[in-house]
Amino acid sequence: GGAAFAPGGAAPNNSGSSSRGVGSSGSNSQGGGSAKKGKKPPPAASAASVNLMRSLFSRPHQAEPCTSAIPPVPSSSTPAVLLAPEAGQPCSPTPPHPLARSHSDSAAAAAAAANASGGAPAPAATAPPLPSQQPPIPSQPPRPHRVWNHYQQALYYMAQDPSKIDRREQKDVHVDDLCIRIRDIYPKGHYHALVVARESGLDSVEDLQPKHLPLLEHMRHVALQYVRQCQQQQHPQQQRLVFRLGFHSIPSCRQLHLHVVSQDLCGVNMKKKDHFQRFTTPFFITLNEVERQLREHGHVACDQAQAHAFLGAPLKCHRCGAGMVNFSRLKEHLVSCTALFSGPGAVYAPEAPPM
């Protein structure tokens, strides 16, 4: 037939033999004999490689899941919890707690112990309790730190150094190693004294602990001494004296102090509703109640929000219970009221033991 042209662009071969890469000499060789040798053709791709390339270029690129670095979890151990890896970090399993044991481990250990003991089941081993992740519940809720000014610390200074007591104003002063007793310079009743603890760190009843029960009993003893003195000073024709012994839930002065106040509440400094409510509502915590809470609960609970609410309660006479429209009417009523106070914490002067 006619002359055929080689794919490599060589001259026609007159010898009739087929050639793929024939050189100019017409010899049957792929490289072309003395002609310049061409580049070696790339090897043919396998079918698996072709399919892989097609799958990669025929869809958007997606990151392969990083599961190659995760070791297999044995069936007898607690499964590890996988956390989402951070950016640029390989994911890794979370190791189990060193004290944690799975049910299968416990069963296998029990079976091995039973076989070793001749069939008798061994007592189950109890793992130590894991440390609690929750903070311990305090026995007393925390309270904000209070800042006292110079005048509010007058009792504190006198308790720490009794020589600072002004003896010109204080005629009847008691001082010992545990407490001092002075007259209240702003009396709310005809008779009003303060028994002040000398221990540092006792700012209010909220600082008391059960270990302070002996101190409170001593303060009661000193308070009853004052009650007995007042009874001896009273005129025989005067009304029977009744006292209350207690603390303010929110004190106005630093250092724990016990109020010993007569229940006439007609002192020269009883001037407004707030003064009256501080001694006639639950804002005033009796000494008996403080001792009870220390024995039963280990501390004295004072809800400051509730205490402030007591100061705004309606006015009424603490002796007869009659309601009053305002404080002026109440003061007039207290002068003429003949009822005796019989509420909680009442201490009658004739019943106070002689000291």
Side-chain angles (χ1 to χ4, degrees), residues 27 42 60 95-96 133 188 190 205 212 233 242-243 260 269 274 279 282 313 331 336 353:
S27 60
Q133 301 298 326
K188 305 303 187 293
H190 285 321
V205 292
H212 294 117
Q233 296 172 4
V242 183
F243 286 79
V260 189
N269 285 277
D274 181 81
F279 290 91
K331 289 196 67 174
S336 58

Side-chain angles (χ1 to χ4, degrees), residues 153-165 175-180 182 196-203 215 254-256:
Q153 301 195 68
L155 294 180
Y156 171 79
Y157 296 141
M158 288 187 286
Q160 300 304 311
D161 185 5
S163 64
K164 295 183 178 181
I165 300 175
V175 178
D176 60 38
D177 294 338
L178 299 179
C179 66
I180 63 174
I182 59 176
V196 187
R198 298 191 63 185
E199 181 177 336
S200 180
L202 294 180
D203 292 346
L215 170 63
R254 181 186 179 188
Q255 197 63 20
L256 180 73

Side-chain angles (χ1 to χ4, degrees), residues 54-78:
R54 287 177 178 176
S55 62
L56 291 177
F57 288 97
S58 62
R59 61 181 179 179
H61 178 68
Q62 297 181 358
E64 294 294 329
C66 55
T67 58
S68 59
I70 303 176
V73 179
S75 59
S76 62
S77 63
T78 304

Side-chain angles (χ1 to χ4, degrees), residues 209-229:
Q209 301 177 18
K211 66 179 182 180
H212 294 117
L213 285 171
L215 170 63
L216 295 178
E217 187 61 30
H218 178 74
M219 294 174 68
R220 180 195 297 273
H221 179 83
V222 175
L224 292 180
Q225 282 184 343
Y226 174 75
V227 171
R228 189 68 181 182
Q229 292 175 5

Side-chain angles (χ1 to χ4, degrees), residues 258-272:
L258 174 69
H259 289 269
V260 189
V261 56
S262 59
Q263 289 305 289
D264 55 89
L265 294 185
C266 295
V268 294
N269 285 277
M270 180 63 74
K271 298 180 178 180
K272 56 183 181 179

Side-chain angles (χ1 to χ4, degrees), residues 317-336:
C317 178
H318 64 297
R319 286 182 267 167
C320 66
M324 298 293 155
V325 294
N326 53 47
F327 184 70
S328 298
R329 289 287 186 90
L330 175 65
K331 289 196 67 174
E332 296 174 359
H333 171 81
L334 291 177
V335 175
S336 58

